[in-house]
């Protein structure tokens, strides 16, 4: 029996297989453990309505936006996402409020015999914990983000109101496949009979994968870009302003988003289409609730790390984009940012395909290569050596903290510091910022 929350977190991190730490070896190749665990909990996943969100990039932002919109509409809304950035409890929220430390402690202590018997992974335990919490909290709806892939992901035991697939890119190829088509096939695994599915972006390279899968299982499929088109997107101080055309009705609408990354315009089309689909199923979500949800997403759901401003003097922004498509979107944002000298604080995991990521990065920047404090992290020296092949110049640092400190030391008025390359680089910086605030 564990007495404190810290003991429980140490147990979860140290004893259970964990993908963020251990990589592919922590992944279970089926959902059997999750089904067994949830059966022991009286199948909580069958006791609440849900929306299931998968995709290579954008699934986190999409999940948070949907949760914020439904909370704005007055629904008691659960939100399950991963990984967390600062606090484990970020993964499990109801109306934006994280699960309490006491709830986490009680869950693990109560179900320790089941955990010992089943030997689940870290992710399988957290999924079961989230489903149990949402059921006991009697949420009206829960937005459930896929952890990895879709077909074999622990979250894929739910029977949702709607499935959303954001986009498909090259990531986790060692687990999901070496081609976009194979990866799309894994994501398509969340599509279920008679349950509508929205795909945020039509990519002709993989569209047929979703069409064939949806037809095979008998699921209504909608590509968001079939009806909606972005006419213009402008970054404002408050975030992003996006003009959207409904190609079926000819109506143009301007949407204000708190999230400032230019890539959010793609996610917006998926979110709007998802909401329209759920409205048809009887969910009352008025336009005013959508607008409020988009503007209040960070406050209402605690979303962090998406083109987030950490400070204005020095000017520092972080972003969790960590694969080929994510880096491409980061570079697009950099092109829209004015600065004299660009300082890039970046790190990467060992299992990332650097040959597809590094060539995208700007050669004129000064680089501060670093390594997050976890076994999966690529040593900073190896990252710097790989980067020299693409004419990226800079120094390597043992820690993220040292790299950011050096970037700040070299910062001059008019410069810009970017922090990213890996979710876990961003996580360490945000954790350090939180520690400063609390001290």
């Amino acid at each position: 029996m564990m007495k404190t929350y810290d003991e429980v977190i140490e147990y979860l991190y140290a004893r259970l297989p964990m993908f963020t730490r251990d990589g592919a070896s922590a992944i279970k190749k089926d959902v059997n453990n999750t089904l067994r665990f949830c059966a022991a909990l009286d199948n909580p996943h069958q006791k609440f309505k849900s929306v299931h969100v998968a995709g290579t990039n954008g699934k986190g932002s999409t999940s948070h936006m949907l949760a914020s919109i439904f909370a704005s509409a007055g629904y008691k809304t659960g939100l399950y996402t991963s990984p967390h950035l600062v606090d484990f409890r970020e993964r499990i929220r109801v109306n934006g409020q994280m699960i309490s430390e006491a709830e986490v402690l009680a869950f693990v202590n109560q179900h320790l015999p089941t955990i010992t018997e089943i030997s689940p992974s870290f992710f399988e335990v957290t999924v079961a914990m989230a489903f149990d919490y949402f059921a006991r909290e009697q949420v009206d709806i829960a937005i459930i983000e896929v952890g990895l892939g879709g077909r074999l992901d622990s979250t894929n035991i739910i029977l949702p109101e709607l499935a959303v697939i954001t986009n498909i890119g090259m990531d986790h190829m060692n687990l999901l496949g070496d081609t976009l088509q194979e990866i799309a096939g894994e994501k398509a695994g969340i599509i279920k009979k008679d349950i509508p599915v929205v795909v945020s972006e039509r990519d002709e390279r993989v569209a047929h994968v979703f069409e064939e899968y949806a037809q095979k299982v008998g699921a209504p499929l909608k590509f968001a870009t079939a009806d909606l088109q972005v006419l213009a997107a402008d970054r404002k101080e408050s975030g992003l302003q996006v003009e959207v055309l409904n190609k079926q009705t000819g109506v143009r609408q301007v949407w204000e988003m708190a999230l400032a990354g230019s890539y959010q315009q793609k996610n917006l089309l998926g979110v709007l289409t998802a909401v329209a689909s759920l409205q048809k199923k009887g969910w009352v979500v008025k336009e005013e609730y959508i607008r409020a949800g988009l503007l209040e997403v960070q406050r209402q759901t605690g979303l962090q790390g998406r083109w987030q401003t950490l400070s204005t003097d020095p000017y520092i922004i972080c972003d969790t984009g960590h694969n080929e498509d994510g880096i491409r979107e980061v570079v697009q944002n950099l092109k829209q940012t004015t600065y004299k000298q660009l300082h890039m604080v970046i790190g990467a995991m060992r299992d990332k395909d650097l040959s597809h990521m590094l060539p995208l990065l700007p050669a004129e920047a000064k680089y501060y290569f670093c390594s997050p404090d976890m076994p999966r992290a690529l040593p900073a020296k190896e990252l710097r050596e790989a980067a020299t092949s693409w004419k990226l110049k800079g120094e390597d640092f043992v820690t993220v903290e040292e790299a950011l400190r050096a970037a700040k030391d070299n910062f001059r008025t008019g410069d810009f510091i970017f922090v990213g390359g890996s979710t876990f680089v961003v996580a360490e910086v945000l954790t350090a910022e939180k520690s400063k605030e609390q001290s």
Side-chain angles (χ1 to χ4, degrees), residues 158-163 188-197 213-220 281:
I158 59 175
L159 200 64
E161 295 279 279
L162 175 74
I190 70 167
I191 300 174
K192 298 178 176 69
K193 180 176 171 58
D194 297 330
I195 294 173
V197 55
Y213 199 103
Q215 185 175 23
K216 181 176 72 173
V217 303
K281 299 193 78 168

Side-chain angles (χ1 to χ4, degrees), residues 44-45 47-53 63 66-67 70 75-81 92-95 130-131 133-135 138-145 158-162 278 283:
H45 59 292
K47 298 177 182 178
F48 55 86
K49 304 285 188 182
S50 60
V51 175
H52 207 185
V53 184
S63 296
L66 286 171
F70 274 85
Y75 291 108
K76 191 173 187 180
T77 307
L79 175 62
Y80 176 75
T81 57
I92 305 169
R93 297 176 184 266
V94 172
N95 281 359
F131 291 172
Y133 185 61
F134 295 154
Q138 298 182 321
V139 299
D140 297 313
I141 191 167
I143 313 300
I144 308 295
E145 180 193 5
I158 59 175
L159 200 64
E161 295 279 279
L162 175 74
L278 290 163
W283 294 90

Side-chain angles (χ1 to χ4, degrees), residues 159-212:
L159 200 64
E161 295 279 279
L162 175 74
V164 180
I165 300 174
T166 55
N167 83 329
I168 303 301
M170 300 300 285
D171 197 13
H172 300 301
M173 288 87 81
N174 58 325
L175 294 166
L176 303 180
D178 293 326
T179 68
L180 286 176
Q181 291 74 25
E182 287 177 305
I183 294 171
E186 290 298 317
K187 310 287 186 188
I190 70 167
I191 300 174
K192 298 178 176 69
K193 180 176 171 58
D194 297 330
I195 294 173
V197 55
V198 168
V199 179
S200 299
E201 182 181 11
R202 185 180 180 93
D203 183 336
E204 293 302 337
R205 296 171 296 177
V206 295
H208 67 280
V209 175
F210 299 123
E211 290 168 335
E212 291 166 7

Side-chain angles (χ1 to χ4, degrees), residues 190-433:
I190 70 167
I191 300 174
K192 298 178 176 69
K193 180 176 171 58
D194 297 330
I195 294 173
V197 55
V198 168
V199 179
S200 299
E201 182 181 11
R202 185 180 180 93
D203 183 336
E204 293 302 337
R205 296 171 296 177
V206 295
H208 67 280
V209 175
F210 299 123
E211 290 168 335
E212 291 166 7
Y213 199 103
Q215 185 175 23
K216 181 176 72 173
V217 303
L221 171 67
K222 175 72 110 179
F223 290 95
T225 46
D227 289 349
L228 302 179
Q229 177 185 348
V230 172
L231 297 179
D234 299 306
R235 189 175 296 156
K236 306 291 183 182
E237 279 191 28
S238 58
L240 199 66
Q241 186 180 80
V242 186
E243 184 179 5
V244 176
L245 169 68
N246 186 315
K247 292 186 279 188
Q248 303 302 315
T249 64
V251 173
R252 300 181 180 209
Q253 290 178 294
V254 175
W255 299 93
E256 303 279 350
M257 304 177 69
L259 303 181
S262 61
Y263 49 82
Q264 297 295 354
Q265 60 188 285
K266 299 179 181 179
N267 297 329
L268 174 64
L269 300 188
V271 166
L272 294 175
T273 305
V275 170
S277 179
L278 290 163
Q279 287 170 330
K280 291 176 183 175
K281 299 193 78 168
W283 294 90
V284 180
V285 185
K286 299 176 182 178
E287 182 180 318
E288 64 195 84
Y289 304 147
I290 301 173
R291 293 190 178 280
L294 294 174
L295 278 173
E296 299 292 330
V297 61
Q298 287 148 317
R299 184 184 65 80
Q300 292 197 139
T301 71
L303 179 62
Q304 298 184 87
R306 275 65 170 187
W307 203 252
Q308 179 180 345
T309 301
L310 298 178
S311 104
T312 54
D313 186 21
Y315 188 20
I316 307 174
I317 280 182
C318 67
D319 192 275
T320 55
H322 59 275
N323 51 42
E324 181 180 350
D325 285 350
I327 295 296
R328 185 175 283 111
E329 297 293 352
V330 163
V331 171
Q332 186 61 36
N333 277 323
L334 290 173
K335 290 177 180 176
Q336 297 174 19
T337 305
T338 301
Y339 50 78
K340 290 180 180 177
Q341 175 65 54
L342 173 61
H343 305 267
M344 298 278 286
V345 178
I346 66 168
M349 296 294 104
R350 293 177 185 272
D351 53 6
K352 292 300 175 182
D353 186 356
L354 298 180
S355 65
H356 283 85
M357 294 167 59
L358 293 176
L360 300 173
L361 294 173
E364 73 277 5
K366 290 182 179 178
Y367 285 86
Y368 306 79
F369 302 103
C370 56
S371 183
D373 185 18
M374 55 172 35
R376 260 185 73 217
L378 182 69
K381 183 178 179 181
E382 292 182 31
L383 179 58
R384 178 181 59 77
E385 290 171 350
T388 57
S389 302
W390 306 102
K391 297 182 172 54
L392 306 181
K393 298 177 182 179
E395 298 178 59
D396 55 272
F397 298 85
V398 175
T399 68
V400 173
E401 182 183 8
E402 289 174 14
L404 181 56
R405 188 185 308 125
K408 288 179 178 179
D409 288 343
N410 290 328
F411 180 91
R412 299 293 179 267
T413 302
D415 288 0
F416 175 54
I417 299 173
F418 174 81
V419 178
S422 166
T423 299
F424 306 106
V425 171
V426 173
E428 286 195 23
V429 170
L430 290 175
T431 301
E433 290 292 316

